[in-house]
Amino acid sequence: MTQTTTDKELIKKSYENEKNRVLLTINRRSADYKKREAAFDLYISHMQKVSKDFELVKKPKVENFNVYLQNFPVESLKVTYNECEIIYTGKLPENTSRSSFRVDVSEHYVSSRNSYGSRNEGYKVRTFINYEEGRYCKNGATVAKKILEFINNKFEAQKREEAQKNLNKRAYQELVKQYPWNYIETDYRNGGKFTIHNGNDTSVSVGYLYNPEDETFEFLVDKINIKTDRNLKNLVEGLGRIQK
């Protein structure tokens, strides 16, 4: 056997060892991807029993692994898998972004109380709502209900806000009707506060109470605004002309 033949056999053996090592890595990685996808399949089946607005999106992906020989890549192997994501496709309230909540399916690691390290309890599902992570659950239905509760609360808040805006608008219109010759200003910080301006630089700031039984408004004086006269005599006489 010549030296050249020996070198070729060593190179071949080295290549086979490296490829087998890469194949072991690929097999482990492929098994992990399949286990993760199976977890997504399980949890979406739970969630869709609560609402069909939850959907599982799968995007085909490829991960490449190189076989190296003497620090040079001589062969490329690949693993195909699906990148999974559970999304909500239903209607959302105004000013509520889909990024404000998401479903997370991941491995749950629990720290051991009486020893170092942690143990893997397998894939579980949880929510992230407004960047706050929820507790891991074994049933996707629990997560679906939490997300729907979050969305429904947002819808209720939107309804209350719209109702309040409508009430403020009606209150403003009532003031305009009562004081047609005055300029009525709405407080930009609080739509339920108004200022009634007179032509002599005096004004009255008011709020209101609404009686839903007879749909009437009662306006309450919050503040009286009088342009200050630095002349003491004029100020005293002017205040004295205000009737009780």
Side-chain angles (χ1 to χ4, degrees), residues 149-162:
E149 181 183 12
F150 167 75
I151 294 171
N152 290 334
N153 287 341
K154 288 289 187 179
F155 270 118
E156 290 301 319
Q158 178 181 313
K159 288 180 182 178
R160 290 192 297 269
E161 183 179 348
E162 291 174 351

Side-chain angles (χ1 to χ4, degrees), residues 88-147:
Y88 179 78
T89 61
K91 183 180 179 182
L92 294 180
E94 294 180 3
N95 302 321
T96 299
S97 170
R98 295 191 185 275
S99 63
S100 62
F101 62 91
R102 67 181 179 88
V103 178
D104 174 61
V105 177
S106 56
E107 290 179 298
H108 183 202
Y109 289 89
V110 179
S111 299
S112 301
R113 292 184 177 181
N114 301 322
S115 62
Y116 293 103
S118 59
R119 67 178 186 274
N120 186 347
E121 295 198 341
Y123 280 95
K124 292 185 182 179
V125 61
R126 62 180 173 175
T127 60
F128 275 84
I129 297 178
N130 290 332
Y131 304 103
E132 182 178 344
E133 61 184 49
R135 298 179 63 181
Y136 276 108
C137 302
K138 294 181 179 180
N139 193 321
T142 303
V143 167
K145 291 174 182 177
K146 287 181 179 179
I147 291 176

Side-chain angles (χ1 to χ4, degrees), residues 190-211:
N190 184 345
K193 299 286 186 180
F194 310 96
T195 300
I196 308 168
H197 292 270
N198 291 310
N200 60 356
D201 290 332
T202 63
S203 61
V204 180
S205 298
V206 300
Y208 68 86
L209 293 176
Y210 176 69
N211 187 346

Side-chain angles (χ1 to χ4, degrees), residues 15-183:
Y15 162 74
E16 290 174 349
N17 290 339
E18 176 65 12
K19 184 171 182 178
N20 287 335
R21 186 190 66 79
V22 172
L23 287 173
L24 285 174
T25 301
I26 287 176
N27 290 337
R28 287 196 298 268
R29 191 65 60 86
S30 179
D32 289 341
Y33 284 136
K34 289 177 180 178
K35 186 187 296 184
R36 187 170 188 270
E37 183 173 348
F40 273 93
D41 289 334
L42 174 64
Y43 291 127
I44 190 62
S45 69
H46 298 162
M47 297 176 74
Q48 288 186 334
K49 291 178 181 177
V50 178
S51 172
K52 294 296 184 183
D53 287 329
F54 291 101
E55 290 185 7
L56 175 57
V57 178
K58 295 184 179 183
K59 297 179 181 178
K61 296 286 183 178
V62 176
E63 185 175 5
N64 294 310
F65 295 84
N66 289 327
V67 179
Y68 286 89
L69 189 61
Q70 296 180 346
N71 297 324
F72 290 96
V74 295
E75 186 176 359
S76 181
L77 305 176
K78 64 182 180 180
V79 173
T80 58
Y81 66 97
N82 288 319
E83 185 179 83
C84 300
E85 181 184 13
I86 295 176
I87 62 173
Y88 179 78
T89 61
K91 183 180 179 182
L92 294 180
E94 294 180 3
N95 302 321
T96 299
S97 170
R98 295 191 185 275
S99 63
S100 62
F101 62 91
R102 67 181 179 88
V103 178
D104 174 61
V105 177
S106 56
E107 290 179 298
H108 183 202
Y109 289 89
V110 179
S111 299
S112 301
R113 292 184 177 181
N114 301 322
S115 62
Y116 293 103
S118 59
R119 67 178 186 274
N120 186 347
E121 295 198 341
Y123 280 95
K124 292 185 182 179
V125 61
R126 62 180 173 175
T127 60
F128 275 84
I129 297 178
N130 290 332
Y131 304 103
E132 182 178 344
E133 61 184 49
R135 298 179 63 181
Y136 276 108
C137 302
K138 294 181 179 180
N139 193 321
T142 303
V143 167
K145 291 174 182 177
K146 287 181 179 179
I147 291 176
L148 291 179
E149 181 183 12
F150 167 75
I151 294 171
N152 290 334
N153 287 341
K154 288 289 187 179
F155 270 118
E156 290 301 319
Q158 178 181 313
K159 288 180 182 178
R160 290 192 297 269
E161 183 179 348
E162 291 174 351
Q164 187 61 53
K165 285 182 179 179
N166 183 57
L167 207 57
N168 293 342
K169 182 179 179 181
R170 290 173 57 193
Y172 174 83
Q173 292 172 341
E174 181 62 28
L175 278 176
V176 171
K177 187 188 303 181
Q178 292 184 19
Y179 305 98
W181 308 113
N182 297 79
Y183 168 59

